Amino acid sequence: MHLYLANNPRVLYLITSSRDEDTGRPRRALVFRPGDGTSQARVEFLPKDDVDLANLVRLTSRIVKGCLGLIGVDNDIFLAIVTSATEVGNTRPSASTPESVARIHEVLFYSLTSSAWDDAPITSDVFASTDDPTLNRDTYNQPAGTAQVFEHPCLPLTKILSSGSFYYALNTPWDLSSRLSVRLSRDSNSVQDVATFDERFVWNEYIVRSLLDFRERLDPRERVDLDACQFIVLAIQGYVGVSTMALPAPPTDGSPTIATLSLISRLGWKRAGTRFNTRGVDDDGNCANFVETETIFSTEQHCVSYVQVRGSVPLFWEQQGLQTFGHRIQITRPHGSQPAFERHFAQLMEEYGAVYAINLLGIKENEASLTNAYARHLKIAQSALGDDLGITHYDFHNAVRIGGHDNRFGFAMCDASSDEIVTDQKGVFRTNCLDCLDRTNFVQDILSRITLEQYLLLVRREWVQSNTLSTQHRELWAENGDALSKIYAGTGALNTSFTRSGKRTLAGVLSDATKSVSRAYINNFQDKGKQTAIDMFLGNLSNQRPITIFDPIHDSVRAALQQRLPEYSTTKRCTMFIGTWNLNGRPPSESLLPWLFPSESAPDVFVLGFQEIVPLTAQQIVQTDPEKSKDLEALDRRPNKRSGWTALLVLVKSVLTAVIRNVEAATRKTGLRGMSGNKGAVGIRLEYHDTSFCFLTAHLAAGHSNIEERNADYRTIVSGLQFQRGKTIASHENVIWLADTNYRIDLDNATVRVFAEADDLDALLSADQLKQVMDTGVAFAGYEEGPILFRPTYRYDLGTDNYDTSEKMRIPAWTDRILYRGKQLDLSVYSRCELRGSDHRPVFAIFRGEVRIIDPVKRAALSRLLLENVLSTNPGEKLDEKLASLTLPADFTERGAPPSTDETSWWDTPERPGGVIPIPELKALSQRRGNPFDSPGESPLSSSPSSSDEELYTHALSLQTPIIPVQAVTRKPPPPPPPRSQKTGAPEEQG
C-alpha cells in the first residue's frame, strides 16, 4: 500500500497497491481528514476507484506496511505509518493458515493538520537499530544547542518504534498478543476477528483504539474488506525468534522431520518504562517489566506451547538518585502494598491458573529487604488466594540436592492436524530478580529446556540428544535476553555468552563489564527522556487526549454520560487532618496529642508537613498514644525524600489502604536559584477511590520585605514540581498547601505586638502579605483559606508564650498557613496548637470532604442503554429529551447472587436445593495442585546462587522428570480483583 496527500483541504490517503491486489486484497482506500478541534479526525473507508489519484501526491516512496494509529502531539494530529518491516518467520507451520511475524524497523509520523513537517521526514539513519547501546538512546536528551532548529515533534516516538523491538502478525489475521492455548480455545469467529486480542500486550492500543471503534461501526462486509486490506497493525513489544531445523526420522522412514522452534516474549505496557524510572507495582496490580514468554515447538504431529512470566517484585519500591553498581532500594509504602500485591497475583491466577514465584534476589545488602518483604506479603496473600500460590526464594544448590522436583504445571499441546487441545498447562512460574533480566532469563531458559525435554521423552527420546535442537534453543534464549535487556536497561543481557555456548570466557567477562558501565550511564543520564516518550505513546501524560474519530452518535452518548455522573457513582464522607509545623531544627519535646487529636474522633487521613526538621519517622509522630496509632498506616514515609529540611507525611487508617491508589511524591528546590534544598517544596499526590488529591508542604524565602522572592518561589514550585506521566499540581481535583509561607505583616513591630496582644486580628489581617498577593492574583490565585481566629504563629521565645525578645526582635506574623482548592473540601476547623518546643506554633485544619466512587458496571450499563436509544431515535424525535428521560431498570443488579428475601435464599437453587453441594463436586473443589519447587522448611531464604553460572546451569539440568499428559479440563477462574479506575475515553471502552 502507499500513502498519498491531497491539499486544500488537507487529506491523507492510505491506498492498496497493485501488488497488494495481486495477492487478493480488495481495492480500497482509508481516508483521514482533520476534524473539529485538536483531538478529532474524520475517517472514511472507500473503494479505490472513488479516489482521483491524479490529484494526489505520494508522501513517501517507501512501501507502507500498515497504520499503527492516530496520536496528538503539540496540538497536531499525526498518523503513525509502518514503512519498513522484515519477516521473522512462521511461528507455527503446522497451523492451517500461516502464523507469520514481521519485525518493525521504521515508523514515520505524518500530520493530518499541518504541512509544516512534510519536508522534514525522519530518515532511517537517524534512528536505525544498532547493537551499540549508546547510539540507541543518545537523541532522547540532546545537550542544549545540538538539536535541529525544526526537530520533528514525533522524533522520540519514532526512535522507540523504530528500535527493532516491535512485532506484528503478518498477512493472515491471527492474534500475536495471545498464547497458543488461548487462541485455540476461542470460537471460529473470534479467531478471525482483528479486534480480539490480549490488551495487556498490544502496545499501540491507545493510538489505534479510535480506528478499532471505527471498524466496529462498519457494515460487516466492509469490516471484512478492511481486515483483508491489513490497513490496521496491532504491535507487541518484546522478542520473536523462529528457528526451523531437520531432526532425525524414525527408522521406518528415511526423510528427516522438519520441526520449528519459536520463542515469543510479550512485554506488558500497563506499567511500562525504563530501568530506574519504573520499578515495582502500581495500585492496579500491574508490575514493571512484566513479560509473558512462550516457547512453541511445532512438528507435523503436535504443537507444544510452554508459558512463563517475569516481572518486578510486586511491591511499592524504587531507586532514587544516582545509581551506579550498588543498588539503593527504598520500599516507599511498606504498609500499603498488600492490596496491590494481592491484585497482581489474583490477576495472574485468573489468567494462568496456579502461580509459583521464583525469587532470585540476593541475600546481601538492599536486595534482602525486598526478599523479606516479598515473603511476608506472599504469606498473607496465601490466606486469601489459597494454595495455588507459592514461592521459592531460590537456593539452586539446595533445590538440586533434595531432588524430586518436576514441572507439574506441564505444557499445552494440540493435535497439528485438527488444532484440538490435547493437554493444557495448569499453572505458570513467575520468575524475578532485581531487574528481571539476566538472572531471570537464565533460569527461564532452564525451565523451558526442561519442559521441552519432558515432551520429547514422551514422543521422540532420540531428539533429546539432538545438538541442533539444544543449540537453537540456547541461541533463541540468548537473543531473547539481549532484546528484553535493551528495551529495559539499554544494553544487551549479561552472561549471554554462557547461555549461547555453555562456557564462561574472558571475552564474555569483558563484554559484561562493558555492558554494566554502559547501563549505568544510560539509565542515569538518558532514560528520563525515553520514559517521557514511552508515556506519550501510551497516553499516560496528564495533558494528553486520545484522538477520536468523528461520530455524532457516540459523542452524544459520552456527553450524556458525563452529565449523569451521579447515576453511576456514589459519594463517601471522609475526614482529613492537615497540619504544618516549623520545628526550628529541634525534635518534639512534648506530647503531640493536643495537635494531632484536637477532638475525640480520629480522622481518616493525616497529612503532616514539617519545615526545618530533624530526622523523623511516622512511628515517632504517633507513638505517644498506641491506641490511636495502631490503626494508622504510613502511606508514604519520606523523611529522606525531602527538599532540604522540609518533609511531608501522609497517613491513613489501615482499612483504607486498598482504596488509596497511585501514590507519588515529588520535590522542587528553590534555594539558591534551585540548587539548594534549604527552601523548596515536597508534594504527595494520590487517588482516594476515584477522587484525586495533591498535598504540598513548602518553605518559602525568608525576610520581611522579600515578598517578590516568595512569589517567585511559589511560581517555581507550581511550574517545576511534577509527578510521573506529566501530572502537575493543577492536574488534581483537590489541592492543599500546608506550609511555612514566610509571608509577613506590613506593620511596624510595636503595632503588630499591641494588636496581637489585644486580639485585634482584623487590623493585622488587613496588612497580611499573603492575603494581599492572593487578592491580586500574584500568588496562590484560586486558593481559599479559612478565617484566621488565632494569633500570629511566629516568632516565639522557646518554651514560652512570649513573642521574640532576642536582639533581632522579629515582627510576629502568620507564616504558617493552610490553603486549599477543591469542590469536595469543606473546612470545619482552622486553628493552632500551643506546643512550645519551637519558635513557631503548629497550625492545623480539619476538612470534611467527599470522595466519589464510580461503579464501572453501572457506567457500562447506562452507556449501553444510552447508545441503544440514540440508535433507535426516529426522525424528528428530540434526542436530548429522550436521553434525559432514560433511567436504569429498577431491578438492575451490579454483580453476584440476587439478594435473599423472606421467602427465598440466594443459595437455595433448583440445581442445589437447600444449598447442598454433592460430595463428588465438593471433592473436586478441594483438590490442590502441586507446586514443583517447594522449598523444605529448613531451607534458608536465599536467592540466586553465589557459585558460578556454569555450576548453576550444570546442576539444574538434573531437574527433569517426565510427565504424563492429561486431558485438558475447563478451569473455573477465581473471582476477579476489584474494579479498576477508568481512563477518560469512549463510554463503553473502559468498563
Side-chain angles (χ1 to χ4, degrees), residues 88-152:
V88 175
N90 188 350
T91 60
R92 192 166 70 100
S94 61
S96 56
T97 56
E99 295 187 353
S100 299
V101 177
R103 182 185 185 190
I104 296 174
H105 296 289
E106 182 181 77
V107 175
L108 299 180
F109 289 81
Y110 293 93
S111 175
L112 265 67
T113 51
S114 172
S115 60
W117 311 110
D118 291 349
D119 296 325
I122 310 173
T123 55
S124 57
D125 59 341
V126 174
F127 50 77
S129 178
T130 173
D131 293 330
D132 185 344
T134 59
L135 293 179
N136 279 334
R137 302 265 182 127
D138 59 4
T139 60
Y140 285 109
N141 292 296
Q142 290 277 15
T146 62
Q148 300 177 17
V149 176
F150 298 106
E151 183 181 275
H152 197 291

Side-chain angles (χ1 to χ4, degrees), residues 72 180 201 257 291 312 363 431 533 557-558 654 724 847 885 928 937:
L180 176 65
F201 303 121
T257 297
V291 184
S312 185
I363 59 174
T431 309
V557 170
R558 274 190 289 268
S654 56
Q724 294 179 15
F847 290 94
S885 64
R928 297 178 178 178

Side-chain angles (χ1 to χ4, degrees), residues 91-96 244-245 247-250 252-261 297-304 413-419 455 459-460 463:
T91 60
R92 192 166 70 100
S94 61
S96 56
T244 302
M245 66 206 78
L247 297 175
T252 57
D253 188 351
S255 59
T257 297
I258 304 301
T260 300
L261 181 65
F297 183 72
S298 178
T299 66
E300 60 185 12
Q301 184 180 11
H302 297 134
C303 184
V304 174
M413 182 174 70
C414 72
D415 185 286
S417 60
S418 64
D419 276 354
Y455 163 73
V459 294
R460 297 295 296 274
W463 288 354

Side-chain angles (χ1 to χ4, degrees), residues 548-563:
T548 59
I549 293 175
F550 176 71
D551 175 17
I553 293 176
H554 285 77
D555 289 346
S556 62
V557 170
R558 274 190 289 268
L561 201 60
Q562 184 61 36
Q563 293 173 359

Side-chain angles (χ1 to χ4, degrees), residues 353-368:
V355 177
Y356 201 84
I358 303 176
N359 175 31
L360 304 178
L361 286 173
I363 59 174
K364 296 180 181 179
E365 299 177 357
N366 286 302
E367 291 190 12

Side-chain angles (χ1 to χ4, degrees), residues 423-441:
T423 181
D424 205 354
Q425 187 172 333
K426 298 179 289 298
V428 69
F429 286 111
R430 183 198 189 280
T431 309
N432 74 271
C433 52
L434 191 65
D435 299 321
C436 302
L437 297 176
D438 313 315
R439 285 173 280 180
T440 297
N441 196 74

Side-chain angles (χ1 to χ4, degrees), residues 211 334 462:
L211 287 177
E462 65 272 21

Side-chain angles (χ1 to χ4, degrees), residues 110 332 488 698 764 796:
Y110 293 93
T332 56
Y488 192 56
L764 297 178
Y796 285 90

